[in-house]
Structures are given as structure tokens and as C-alpha cells.
Amino acid sequence: MPSNEQRRQAAKRKLERQLARRAERAKRRRIWGVSITVVAVVAAVGLVYWLVNLGPGDSEAATNNTTPTDTPAENTTDGACAFKENPAEQSDKSPGMPEDPAETPNTGTVAVTLKTSQGDIPITLDRAKAPCTVQSIEHLVTSKFFDGTTCHRLTTSEGLKVLQCGDPKGDGTGGPGYTIPDELPTDLKPAAVGQGAVTYPRGTLAMANAGPSTGGSQFFLVYGDSTLPPNYTVFGSVGAPGLATIDKIAKGGLTPGPNGPQDGTPKLPVEIETAAVQ
């Protein structure tokens, strides 16, 4: 039968073994905790690197599998204007991209005459108002892009009096195969009605669009003060001789379209026979 001393020694050895096992388990937990932390840090650093350097915007799959839509493609020119290709509008009439220098000319004017089936419409492009837009429109004019196109839309309501032109399809859906950046006006007077609206005065030459930075070749000529949001680039003006021609077209009336009885196709057909820089 073991003595009291032997029992104490046995109990002591048992306690020492228990303490040793606990210490070993604690050591393993610390090792696992450090390992997991290191793995998490490495994963986080790798994720940040991927997002910064190899993210979806730059991946080959993201850039090479784009389905043509109304949204412009990401291909751009290298200059100050960064014109964007728009594959959805590519056609046999597309003139290619405009020149895009590092410093777009922003002074001076360009005189253009739209010779139409209803009479001449002289217009003046103003580089100071919208240098990138003028750069593009001059390119389209010299490329003969507008020749043989129609002015497909006329509006005659009290708050909107415009003639819209520049669509190679003639139905409001066409363009040159690229888009230009917005150069929105900041000097138009607030309109008396319409929160946030401004007045585009008679004689204004402005770009049509389908949303931010979607302008292409379609433009509108304002023949009566019009109330609109300041979302349309103003790039020039229409002089008295041109306004006289547009007034005649407006008096001829329109064939209503889906937007109501005061918005449709001019009854007097308006074809831009030639557009030329003077």
C-alpha cells in the first residue's frame, strides 16, 4: 500500500503532466493564430494589388467582350478631347475619329453653310464656347458626313422651337461612330418656368444627346426661345439668313410623331445637300 509521500509525489507528477499538456495546447493555439493572421494579411494585400493593377476595368475579358450598346465604348483618342468610339453607330458613312491634339484650339470661329433643299442656313461655330465640339463638327463637315442627310425633327411648342439635323439615318438614332464630351453652357439665363431650366435663345446652335457625353453628329438650331435643362452643349449660332430659312420651314408645319402634335417631321422636306466651311 503506497505511503502518503508516494501519493503526494504521484499527484505532483500528474499535475505537472496536466500543466505541460495545457502549455502545449496554448502554444499550438498561438501558432495557429499567427498563421491565420499572416494568411489573412497576405490575402488582403493580394486583393488590394489586384484591384489596383489587374482589376476588371483592365482585364482582357472585360475589354474584348463588349457587346455594342447605346453606351459608348472605352476606346478613346489620346488628345485633350478623348473622343470615344461608339460601335453601335458605325456605318459606311462613318468618317473616322477627328484629330485630337493635346491642346484643342479654343479661340476663333468657323463659318459653315448648310445648303438645304429649303434654302441656305449659314451657321457660325465658336471654338471658345466648345472647342472639342467645334473640332468634331468641323471634321464632319470637311468629311462630307452631313451631305445628303435630313433635318428629321421639328418642334413648335411654346417652350421648345427647334429644328434638329445631323442624323445619317434620318430617324434620330444615328451618329458618326464616336461620341464627344459634354461642354455644357454656364452663361445661359435661368428660365422663368421650370426648376433648374435655362433659356436657349433664338439663334442658338447646340448639340442633341441621349444623356451625359453621348453627343455625336446630331445638333439643333433654335428658332424661338426654348426652355431646357442646361444639358446641351452650345457650340455656335445661327444668323439672320439662316433663321429666315428655318422660320419658313416651321411655318410649313409638321407631321406629328410619337412625342405629341407639336413634335415631328417637317412637312417641308429638309435635306442638307452640302455642308461646307466658308
Side-chain angles (χ1 to χ4, degrees), residues 123-219:
I123 58 177
T124 301
L125 315 184
D126 189 340
R127 295 189 187 277
K129 288 183 178 294
C132 292
T133 303
V134 173
Q135 183 81 356
S136 172
I137 295 295
E138 185 177 16
H139 165 69
L140 295 176
V141 170
T142 56
S143 299
K144 304 299 181 184
F145 176 83
F146 293 119
D147 294 7
T149 62
T150 62
C151 294
H152 62 279
R153 184 186 183 199
L154 177 69
T155 65
T156 58
S157 64
E158 184 62 31
L160 186 62
K161 296 180 182 294
V162 304
L163 177 68
Q164 188 165 323
C165 312
D167 177 10
K169 293 184 178 180
D171 61 4
T173 65
Y178 64 88
T179 61
I180 58 181
D182 288 334
E183 298 171 286
L184 301 180
T186 59
D187 57 351
L188 298 179
K189 295 180 179 179
V193 296
Q195 186 176 3
V198 295
T199 298
Y200 284 69
R202 173 177 165 87
T204 298
L205 181 62
M207 291 299 295
N209 65 55
S213 292
T214 58
S217 60
Q218 294 188 47
F219 59 91

Coordinates of all heavy atoms in Angstrom, one line a residue, residues 123-219:
I123 N -24.2 79.1 -90.5 CA -24.0 78.9 -89.1 C -22.6 79.3 -88.8 O -21.7 79.3 -89.6 CB -24.3 77.5 -88.6 CG1 -23.4 76.5 -89.3 CG2 -25.8 77.2 -88.8 CD1 -23.6 75.0 -88.8
T124 N -22.3 79.7 -87.5 CA -21.0 80.1 -87.1 C -20.6 79.2 -85.9 O -21.4 79.2 -84.9 CB -20.9 81.5 -86.6 OG1 -21.3 82.4 -87.8 CG2 -19.5 81.9 -86.2
L125 N -19.5 78.4 -86.0 CA -19.1 77.6 -84.9 C -18.1 78.4 -84.1 O -17.2 79.1 -84.6 CB -18.3 76.4 -85.4 CG -19.0 75.6 -86.6 CD1 -18.2 74.3 -86.9 CD2 -20.4 75.3 -86.3
D126 N -18.3 78.4 -82.7 CA -17.5 79.2 -81.8 C -16.6 78.3 -81.0 O -17.0 77.6 -80.1 CB -18.4 80.0 -80.9 CG -17.7 81.0 -80.1 OD1 -16.5 80.9 -79.9 OD2 -18.4 82.0 -79.6
R127 N -15.3 78.3 -81.3 CA -14.3 77.5 -80.5 C -14.3 77.8 -79.0 O -14.1 76.9 -78.2 CB -12.9 77.6 -81.1 CG -12.8 77.1 -82.6 CD -11.4 77.0 -83.0 NE -11.2 76.7 -84.4 CZ -11.2 75.4 -84.9 NH1 -11.4 74.4 -84.0 NH2 -11.1 75.2 -86.1
A128 N -14.4 79.1 -78.7 CA -14.3 79.5 -77.3 C -15.5 78.9 -76.5 O -15.3 78.6 -75.3 CB -14.4 81.0 -77.2
K129 N -16.6 78.6 -77.1 CA -17.8 78.1 -76.3 C -17.6 76.6 -76.1 O -17.9 76.0 -75.0 CB -19.1 78.3 -77.1 CG -19.6 79.8 -77.0 CD -20.9 79.9 -77.8 CE -21.4 81.3 -77.7 NZ -21.8 81.7 -76.3
A130 N -17.1 75.9 -77.1 CA -17.0 74.4 -77.0 C -15.9 73.9 -78.0 O -16.2 73.4 -79.1 CB -18.4 73.8 -77.4
P131 N -14.7 74.0 -77.6 CA -13.6 73.6 -78.5 C -13.6 72.2 -79.1 O -13.4 72.0 -80.3 CB -12.3 73.9 -77.7 CG -12.7 74.0 -76.3 CD -14.1 74.5 -76.3
C132 N -13.9 71.2 -78.2 CA -14.0 69.9 -78.7 C -15.1 69.6 -79.6 O -15.0 68.9 -80.6 CB -14.1 68.9 -77.5 SG -12.6 68.9 -76.4
T133 N -16.2 70.2 -79.3 CA -17.4 70.1 -80.2 C -17.1 70.7 -81.6 O -17.5 70.1 -82.6 CB -18.6 70.7 -79.6 OG1 -18.9 70.1 -78.3 CG2 -19.9 70.5 -80.4
V134 N -16.6 71.9 -81.6 CA -16.2 72.5 -82.9 C -15.2 71.7 -83.6 O -15.3 71.5 -84.9 CB -15.7 73.9 -82.7 CG1 -15.2 74.5 -84.0 CG2 -16.9 74.8 -82.1
Q135 N -14.2 71.1 -82.9 CA -13.2 70.3 -83.6 C -13.9 69.1 -84.3 O -13.6 68.7 -85.4 CB -12.3 69.7 -82.5 CG -11.1 68.9 -83.1 CD -10.0 69.7 -83.6 OE1 -10.1 70.9 -83.7 NE2 -8.9 69.0 -84.1
S136 N -14.9 68.5 -83.6 CA -15.6 67.4 -84.2 C -16.5 67.8 -85.4 O -16.5 67.2 -86.4 CB -16.5 66.7 -83.1 OG -17.3 65.7 -83.7
I137 N -17.3 68.9 -85.2 CA -18.3 69.3 -86.2 C -17.5 69.7 -87.5 O -17.9 69.4 -88.6 CB -19.2 70.4 -85.7 CG1 -20.1 69.9 -84.6 CG2 -20.0 71.0 -86.9 CD1 -21.1 68.9 -85.0
E138 N -16.4 70.4 -87.3 CA -15.6 70.8 -88.5 C -15.1 69.6 -89.2 O -15.1 69.5 -90.5 CB -14.4 71.7 -88.1 CG -13.7 72.2 -89.3 CD -12.5 73.2 -88.8 OE1 -12.2 73.2 -87.6 OE2 -12.0 73.9 -89.7
H139 N -14.7 68.6 -88.4 CA -14.2 67.3 -89.0 C -15.4 66.6 -89.9 O -15.2 66.2 -91.0 CB -13.8 66.4 -87.9 CG -13.7 64.9 -88.3 ND1 -12.7 64.5 -89.2 CD2 -14.4 63.8 -87.9 CE1 -12.8 63.1 -89.3 NE2 -13.8 62.7 -88.6
L140 N -16.6 66.6 -89.3 CA -17.7 66.0 -90.0 C -18.1 66.8 -91.3 O -18.4 66.2 -92.3 CB -18.9 66.0 -89.1 CG -18.8 65.1 -87.8 CD1 -20.0 65.2 -86.9 CD2 -18.6 63.6 -88.3
V141 N -18.0 68.1 -91.2 CA -18.3 69.0 -92.4 C -17.3 68.7 -93.5 O -17.6 68.5 -94.6 CB -18.3 70.5 -92.0 CG1 -18.3 71.3 -93.2 CG2 -19.5 70.8 -91.1
T142 N -16.0 68.7 -93.1 CA -14.9 68.6 -94.2 C -14.9 67.1 -94.7 O -14.4 66.9 -95.8 CB -13.5 68.9 -93.6 OG1 -13.3 68.2 -92.4 CG2 -13.5 70.4 -93.3
S143 N -15.4 66.2 -93.9 CA -15.5 64.8 -94.4 C -16.8 64.5 -95.2 O -17.0 63.4 -95.6 CB -15.5 63.8 -93.2 OG -14.3 64.0 -92.4
K144 N -17.6 65.6 -95.4 CA -18.8 65.5 -96.2 C -19.9 64.5 -95.5 O -20.8 64.0 -96.1 CB -18.6 65.0 -97.6 CG -17.6 65.8 -98.4 CD -18.1 67.2 -98.5 CE -17.1 68.1 -99.3 NZ -17.5 69.5 -99.4
F145 N -19.7 64.4 -94.2 CA -20.6 63.5 -93.5 C -22.1 64.0 -93.5 O -23.0 63.2 -93.6 CB -20.2 63.4 -92.0 CG -21.1 62.6 -91.1 CD1 -21.0 61.2 -91.1 CD2 -22.0 63.2 -90.3 CE1 -21.8 60.4 -90.2 CE2 -22.9 62.5 -89.5 CZ -22.7 61.1 -89.4
F146 N -22.3 65.3 -93.4 CA -23.6 65.8 -93.4 C -24.3 65.9 -94.8 O -25.5 66.0 -94.9 CB -23.6 67.2 -92.8 CG -23.3 67.3 -91.3 CD1 -22.1 68.0 -90.9 CD2 -24.0 66.6 -90.4 CE1 -21.8 68.0 -89.6 CE2 -23.7 66.7 -89.0 CZ -22.6 67.4 -88.6
D147 N -23.5 65.8 -95.8 CA -24.1 65.9 -97.2 C -25.1 64.7 -97.4 O -24.8 63.5 -97.2 CB -23.0 65.8 -98.2 CG -22.0 67.0 -98.2 OD1 -22.2 67.8 -97.3 OD2 -21.2 67.1 -99.1
G148 N -26.3 65.1 -97.9 CA -27.3 64.1 -98.1 C -28.1 63.6 -96.9 O -28.9 62.7 -97.0
T149 N -27.9 64.3 -95.8 CA -28.7 63.9 -94.6 C -29.9 64.8 -94.4 O -29.9 65.9 -95.1 CB -27.8 64.0 -93.3 OG1 -27.3 65.3 -93.1 CG2 -26.6 63.1 -93.4
T150 N -30.8 64.4 -93.6 CA -32.0 65.2 -93.4 C -32.1 65.9 -92.1 O -31.5 65.4 -91.1 CB -33.3 64.4 -93.6 OG1 -33.3 63.4 -92.6 CG2 -33.3 63.7 -95.0
C151 N -32.9 67.0 -92.0 CA -33.3 67.5 -90.7 C -34.6 66.9 -90.4 O -35.6 67.2 -90.9 CB -33.4 69.1 -90.8 SG -31.8 69.9 -91.1
H152 N -34.5 65.9 -89.5 CA -35.6 64.9 -89.3 C -36.6 65.4 -88.3 O -37.7 64.8 -88.2 CB -35.0 63.6 -88.9 CG -34.3 63.6 -87.5 ND1 -33.0 64.1 -87.4 CD2 -34.7 63.3 -86.3 CE1 -32.7 64.0 -86.1 NE2 -33.7 63.6 -85.4
R153 N -36.3 66.4 -87.5 CA -37.2 66.8 -86.4 C -37.5 68.3 -86.3 O -36.6 69.1 -86.4 CB -36.6 66.3 -85.1 CG -37.5 66.5 -83.9 CD -36.8 66.2 -82.6 NE -37.7 66.3 -81.4 CZ -37.3 66.4 -80.1 NH1 -36.0 66.4 -79.9 NH2 -38.1 66.6 -79.1
L154 N -38.8 68.6 -86.1 CA -39.2 70.0 -85.9 C -40.1 70.0 -84.7 O -41.0 69.2 -84.6 CB -39.9 70.5 -87.2 CG -40.5 71.9 -87.1 CD1 -39.3 73.0 -87.0 CD2 -41.4 72.2 -88.3
T155 N -39.9 71.0 -83.8 CA -40.8 71.2 -82.7 C -41.3 72.6 -82.8 O -40.7 73.5 -83.1 CB -40.1 71.0 -81.3 OG1 -39.1 72.0 -81.1 CG2 -39.4 69.6 -81.3
T156 N -42.6 72.7 -82.4 CA -43.3 74.0 -82.5 C -44.0 74.5 -81.2 O -44.8 75.4 -81.3 CB -44.3 74.0 -83.7 OG1 -45.3 72.9 -83.4 CG2 -43.6 73.7 -85.0
S157 N -43.7 73.8 -80.1 CA -44.4 74.2 -78.9 C -43.9 75.5 -78.4 O -42.9 76.0 -78.8 CB -44.3 73.1 -77.8 OG -42.9 73.0 -77.4
E158 N -44.6 76.1 -77.4 CA -44.3 77.5 -76.9 C -42.9 77.5 -76.2 O -42.2 78.4 -76.4 CB -45.3 77.9 -75.9 CG -45.1 79.3 -75.3 CD -45.2 80.4 -76.4 OE1 -45.9 80.2 -77.4 OE2 -44.5 81.4 -76.3
G159 N -42.6 76.4 -75.6 CA -41.3 76.3 -74.8 C -40.2 75.6 -75.6 O -39.1 75.5 -75.0
L160 N -40.4 75.1 -76.8 CA -39.4 74.4 -77.5 C -39.6 74.6 -79.0 O -40.5 74.0 -79.6 CB -39.4 72.9 -77.1 CG -38.3 72.0 -77.7 CD1 -36.9 72.5 -77.2 CD2 -38.5 70.6 -77.4
K161 N -38.8 75.4 -79.6 CA -38.8 75.6 -81.0 C -37.5 75.4 -81.6 O -36.6 76.2 -81.6 CB -39.2 77.1 -81.3 CG -40.6 77.4 -80.7 CD -41.0 78.9 -81.0 CE -42.4 79.3 -80.4 NZ -43.5 78.6 -81.1
V162 N -37.3 74.2 -82.1 CA -36.0 73.8 -82.7 C -36.2 73.0 -84.0 O -37.2 72.3 -84.2 CB -35.2 72.9 -81.7 CG1 -35.0 73.7 -80.4 CG2 -35.8 71.6 -81.4
L163 N -35.2 73.0 -84.8 CA -35.0 72.1 -86.0 C -33.8 71.3 -85.7 O -32.7 71.8 -85.5 CB -34.8 73.0 -87.3 CG -34.6 72.1 -88.5 CD1 -35.9 71.4 -88.9 CD2 -34.2 73.1 -89.7
Q164 N -34.0 70.0 -85.8 CA -32.9 69.1 -85.4 C -32.4 68.3 -86.7 O -33.1 67.8 -87.5 CB -33.3 68.0 -84.4 CG -32.2 67.2 -83.8 CD -32.6 66.4 -82.6 OE1 -33.4 67.0 -81.7 NE2 -32.2 65.2 -82.4
C165 N -31.1 68.3 -86.8 CA -30.4 67.8 -88.0 C -29.2 66.9 -87.6 O -28.9 66.8 -86.5 CB -29.9 68.9 -88.9 SG -31.1 70.3 -89.2
G166 N -28.6 66.4 -88.7 CA -27.3 65.7 -88.5 C -27.3 64.2 -88.3 O -26.3 63.6 -88.0
D167 N -28.5 63.6 -88.4 CA -28.6 62.1 -88.3 C -28.5 61.4 -89.6 O -29.4 61.6 -90.5 CB -29.9 61.8 -87.6 CG -30.1 60.3 -87.4 OD1 -29.2 59.5 -87.7 OD2 -31.2 59.8 -87.1
P168 N -27.5 60.6 -89.9 CA -27.4 59.9 -91.2 C -28.5 58.9 -91.4 O -28.8 58.6 -92.6 CB -26.0 59.2 -91.1 CG -25.8 59.0 -89.6 CD -26.4 60.2 -89.0
K169 N -29.1 58.5 -90.4 CA -30.3 57.5 -90.5 C -31.6 58.3 -90.8 O -32.5 57.7 -91.3 CB -30.4 56.6 -89.3 CG -29.3 55.7 -89.1 CD -29.5 54.7 -87.9 CE -28.4 53.7 -87.8 NZ -28.7 52.8 -86.6
G170 N -31.7 59.5 -90.3 CA -32.9 60.3 -90.5 C -34.0 60.0 -89.6 O -35.2 60.4 -89.8
D171 N -33.7 59.2 -88.5 CA -34.8 58.9 -87.6 C -34.5 59.2 -86.1 O -35.2 58.8 -85.2 CB -35.2 57.4 -87.7 CG -34.0 56.5 -87.4 OD1 -32.9 57.0 -87.0 OD2 -34.1 55.2 -87.6
G172 N -33.4 59.9 -85.9 CA -33.0 60.2 -84.5 C -32.1 59.2 -83.8 O -31.8 59.4 -82.6
T173 N -31.7 58.2 -84.5 CA -30.9 57.1 -83.8 C -29.5 57.0 -84.3 O -28.7 56.2 -83.8 CB -31.6 55.8 -84.0 OG1 -31.6 55.4 -85.4 CG2 -33.0 55.8 -83.5
G174 N -29.1 57.8 -85.3 CA -27.8 57.6 -86.0 C -26.8 58.6 -85.4 O -27.0 59.5 -84.7
G175 N -25.5 58.3 -85.8 CA -24.4 59.1 -85.4 C -23.2 58.8 -86.2 O -23.2 58.0 -87.2
P176 N -22.0 59.4 -85.8 CA -20.8 59.3 -86.7 C -19.9 58.1 -86.3 O -18.9 58.0 -86.9 CB -20.1 60.6 -86.4 CG -20.4 60.9 -84.9 CD -21.9 60.4 -84.8
G177 N -20.3 57.3 -85.3 CA -19.5 56.2 -84.9 C -18.6 56.6 -83.7 O -17.7 55.8 -83.3
Y178 N -18.8 57.8 -83.1 CA -18.0 58.1 -82.0 C -18.8 59.2 -81.2 O -19.8 59.7 -81.7 CB -16.6 58.7 -82.3 CG -16.6 60.0 -83.1 CD1 -16.7 61.2 -82.5 CD2 -16.6 60.0 -84.5 CE1 -16.7 62.4 -83.2 CE2 -16.6 61.2 -85.2 CZ -16.7 62.4 -84.6 OH -16.7 63.6 -85.3
T179 N -18.4 59.4 -80.0 CA -19.1 60.5 -79.2 C -18.1 61.5 -78.7 O -16.9 61.3 -78.7 CB -19.8 59.8 -77.9 OG1 -18.8 59.2 -77.1 CG2 -20.8 58.8 -78.3
I180 N -18.6 62.7 -78.3 CA -17.7 63.8 -77.9 C -18.1 64.1 -76.5 O -19.3 63.9 -76.0 CB -17.9 65.0 -78.8 CG1 -19.3 65.4 -78.9 CG2 -17.4 64.6 -80.2 CD1 -19.5 66.6 -79.8
P181 N -17.2 64.7 -75.7 CA -17.5 65.1 -74.3 C -18.4 66.2 -74.2 O -18.5 67.1 -75.1 CB -16.1 65.4 -73.7 CG -15.3 65.9 -74.9 CD -15.8 65.0 -76.1
D182 N -19.2 66.3 -73.2 CA -20.1 67.5 -73.0 C -19.2 68.7 -72.7 O -18.2 68.6 -72.0 CB -21.0 67.2 -71.8 CG -22.1 66.2 -72.1 OD1 -22.5 66.1 -73.3 OD2 -22.6 65.6 -71.2
E183 N -19.7 69.8 -73.2 CA -19.1 71.1 -72.8 C -20.2 72.1 -72.5 O -20.6 72.9 -73.3 CB -18.2 71.7 -74.0 CG -17.0 70.7 -74.3 CD -16.3 71.1 -75.6 OE1 -16.9 70.9 -76.7 OE2 -15.2 71.7 -75.5
L184 N -20.8 71.9 -71.4 CA -22.1 72.4 -71.1 C -22.1 73.9 -70.8 O -21.1 74.4 -70.3 CB -22.7 71.7 -69.9 CG -22.9 70.2 -70.0 CD1 -23.5 69.6 -68.8 CD2 -23.8 69.9 -71.2
P185 N -23.1 74.6 -71.2 CA -23.1 76.1 -71.1 C -23.2 76.5 -69.6 O -23.9 75.9 -68.8 CB -24.3 76.5 -71.9 CG -25.2 75.3 -71.8 CD -24.3 74.1 -71.8
T186 N -22.6 77.6 -69.3 CA -22.7 78.2 -67.9 C -23.2 79.6 -67.9 O -23.4 80.2 -66.9 CB -21.3 78.2 -67.2 OG1 -20.4 78.9 -68.0 CG2 -20.8 76.7 -67.1
D187 N -23.5 80.2 -69.1 CA -23.9 81.6 -69.2 C -25.3 81.8 -69.7 O -25.7 82.9 -70.0 CB -22.9 82.3 -70.2 CG -22.8 81.7 -71.5 OD1 -23.4 80.6 -71.7 OD2 -22.2 82.3 -72.4
L188 N -26.1 80.7 -69.8 CA -27.5 80.9 -70.2 C -28.3 81.4 -69.0 O -28.1 81.0 -67.9 CB -28.0 79.6 -70.7 CG -27.3 79.0 -72.0 CD1 -28.0 77.7 -72.4 CD2 -27.4 80.0 -73.1
K189 N -29.3 82.2 -69.3 CA -30.2 82.8 -68.3 C -31.2 81.8 -67.8 O -31.7 81.0 -68.6 CB -30.9 84.0 -68.8 CG -30.0 85.2 -69.2 CD -30.8 86.4 -69.7 CE -29.8 87.5 -70.1 NZ -30.6 88.7 -70.6
P190 N -31.4 81.8 -66.5 CA -32.5 80.9 -65.9 C -33.8 81.2 -66.6 O -34.2 82.3 -66.8 CB -32.5 81.2 -64.4 CG -31.2 81.8 -64.1 CD -30.8 82.6 -65.4
A191 N -34.6 80.1 -66.8 CA -35.9 80.3 -67.4 C -36.9 80.7 -66.4 O -36.8 80.5 -65.2 CB -36.3 79.0 -68.1
A192 N -37.9 81.4 -66.8 CA -39.0 81.9 -65.9 C -39.8 80.7 -65.3 O -40.3 80.8 -64.2 CB -39.9 82.8 -66.7
V193 N -39.9 79.6 -66.1 CA -40.6 78.4 -65.6 C -39.6 77.2 -65.7 O -38.7 77.2 -66.5 CB -41.8 78.2 -66.4 CG1 -42.8 79.3 -66.3 CG2 -41.5 78.0 -67.9
G194 N -39.9 76.3 -64.8 CA -39.1 75.1 -64.9 C -37.9 75.2 -63.9 O -36.9 75.9 -64.2
Q195 N -37.9 74.4 -62.8 CA -36.8 74.5 -61.9 C -35.6 73.9 -62.5 O -35.5 72.8 -63.0 CB -37.2 73.7 -60.6 CG -36.2 73.8 -59.5 CD -36.6 73.1 -58.2 OE1 -37.7 72.4 -58.2 NE2 -35.8 73.1 -57.2
G196 N -34.5 74.7 -62.4 CA -33.2 74.3 -63.0 C -33.1 74.5 -64.5 O -32.0 74.2 -65.0
A197 N -34.2 74.9 -65.1 CA -34.1 75.1 -66.6 C -33.5 76.5 -66.9 O -33.5 77.4 -66.1 CB -35.5 75.0 -67.2
V198 N -33.0 76.5 -68.2 CA -32.5 77.8 -68.7 C -33.1 78.1 -70.0 O -33.8 77.2 -70.6 CB -30.9 77.7 -68.8 CG1 -30.3 77.5 -67.5 CG2 -30.5 76.6 -69.8
T199 N -32.8 79.3 -70.5 CA -33.4 79.7 -71.9 C -32.3 79.5 -72.9 O -31.2 80.2 -72.8 CB -33.9 81.1 -71.8 OG1 -35.0 81.2 -70.9 CG2 -34.4 81.5 -73.2
Y200 N -32.5 78.7 -73.9 CA -31.7 78.7 -75.1 C -32.3 79.7 -76.1 O -33.3 79.4 -76.7 CB -31.6 77.3 -75.7 CG -30.8 76.3 -74.9 CD1 -31.2 75.8 -73.6 CD2 -29.6 75.8 -75.5 CE1 -30.4 74.9 -72.9 CE2 -28.8 74.9 -74.7 CZ -29.2 74.4 -73.5 OH -28.5 73.6 -72.8
P201 N -31.6 80.8 -76.3 CA -32.3 81.9 -77.0 C -32.3 81.6 -78.5 O -31.5 80.8 -79.1 CB -31.4 83.1 -76.7 CG -30.1 82.6 -76.4 CD -30.4 81.2 -75.7
R202 N -33.2 82.3 -79.2 CA -33.3 82.2 -80.7 C -31.9 82.4 -81.3 O -31.2 83.4 -80.9 CB -34.3 83.2 -81.2 CG -34.4 83.3 -82.7 CD -35.5 84.3 -83.1 NE -35.4 84.8 -84.5 CZ -36.0 84.1 -85.5 NH1 -36.7 83.0 -85.3 NH2 -35.9 84.6 -86.8
G203 N -31.6 81.6 -82.2 CA -30.3 81.7 -82.9 C -29.2 80.8 -82.3 O -28.1 80.8 -82.8
T204 N -29.5 80.0 -81.3 CA -28.5 79.2 -80.6 C -28.3 77.9 -81.5 O -29.3 77.3 -82.0 CB -29.0 78.8 -79.2 OG1 -29.1 79.9 -78.4 CG2 -28.0 77.8 -78.6
L205 N -27.1 77.5 -81.5 CA -26.7 76.2 -82.2 C -26.2 75.3 -81.1 O -25.2 75.6 -80.4 CB -25.6 76.5 -83.2 CG -25.1 75.3 -84.0 CD1 -26.2 74.7 -84.9 CD2 -24.0 75.8 -84.9
A206 N -26.8 74.1 -80.9 CA -26.5 73.3 -79.8 C -26.5 71.8 -80.2 O -27.2 71.4 -81.2 CB -27.4 73.5 -78.6
M207 N -25.9 71.0 -79.4 CA -25.8 69.5 -79.6 C -27.0 68.8 -79.0 O -27.3 69.0 -77.9 CB -24.5 68.9 -79.1 CG -23.2 69.4 -79.8 SD -23.2 68.9 -81.5 CE -23.2 67.1 -81.4
A208 N -27.5 67.9 -79.8 CA -28.5 66.9 -79.2 C -27.8 65.8 -78.5 O -26.6 65.5 -78.9 CB -29.4 66.4 -80.3
N209 N -28.4 65.1 -77.6 CA -27.8 64.0 -77.0 C -28.8 63.1 -76.4 O -30.0 63.4 -76.3 CB -26.8 64.4 -75.9 CG -27.4 65.1 -74.7 OD1 -28.3 64.6 -74.1 ND2 -26.9 66.3 -74.4
A210 N -28.4 61.9 -75.9 CA -29.3 60.9 -75.2 C -28.8 60.7 -73.8 O -29.2 59.7 -73.2 CB -29.2 59.6 -76.0
G211 N -28.1 61.7 -73.2 CA -27.6 61.5 -71.9 C -26.2 62.1 -71.8 O -25.7 62.6 -72.8
P212 N -25.6 62.1 -70.7 CA -24.3 62.7 -70.5 C -23.2 62.2 -71.5 O -23.1 61.0 -71.6 CB -23.9 62.4 -69.0 CG -25.2 62.2 -68.3 CD -26.1 61.6 -69.4
S213 N -22.5 63.1 -72.1 CA -21.4 62.8 -73.1 C -21.8 61.7 -74.1 O -21.0 60.8 -74.4 CB -20.2 62.3 -72.2 OG -19.7 63.4 -71.5
T214 N -23.0 61.8 -74.7 CA -23.4 60.9 -75.8 C -23.6 61.7 -77.1 O -24.1 61.1 -78.0 CB -24.7 60.2 -75.4 OG1 -25.8 61.2 -75.2 CG2 -24.6 59.3 -74.2
G215 N -23.2 62.9 -77.1 CA -23.4 63.7 -78.3 C -22.5 63.1 -79.4 O -21.4 62.6 -79.2
G216 N -23.0 63.2 -80.7 CA -22.2 62.7 -81.8 C -22.3 63.7 -83.0 O -21.4 64.6 -83.1
S217 N -23.3 63.5 -83.8 CA -23.4 64.4 -85.0 C -24.7 65.2 -85.0 O -24.9 66.1 -85.8 CB -23.3 63.6 -86.3 OG -24.3 62.6 -86.3
Q218 N -25.7 64.8 -84.2 CA -27.0 65.5 -84.2 C -26.9 66.8 -83.5 O -26.4 66.8 -82.4 CB -28.1 64.6 -83.6 CG -28.3 63.3 -84.5 CD -29.5 62.5 -84.0 OE1 -30.6 63.1 -83.7 NE2 -29.4 61.2 -83.8
F219 N -27.5 67.8 -84.1 CA -27.5 69.1 -83.5 C -28.9 69.8 -83.7 O -29.6 69.3 -84.6 CB -26.4 70.0 -84.1 CG -26.5 70.2 -85.6 CD1 -27.2 71.3 -86.1 CD2 -25.8 69.3 -86.4 CE1 -27.3 71.4 -87.5 CE2 -25.9 69.4 -87.8 CZ -26.6 70.5 -88.4

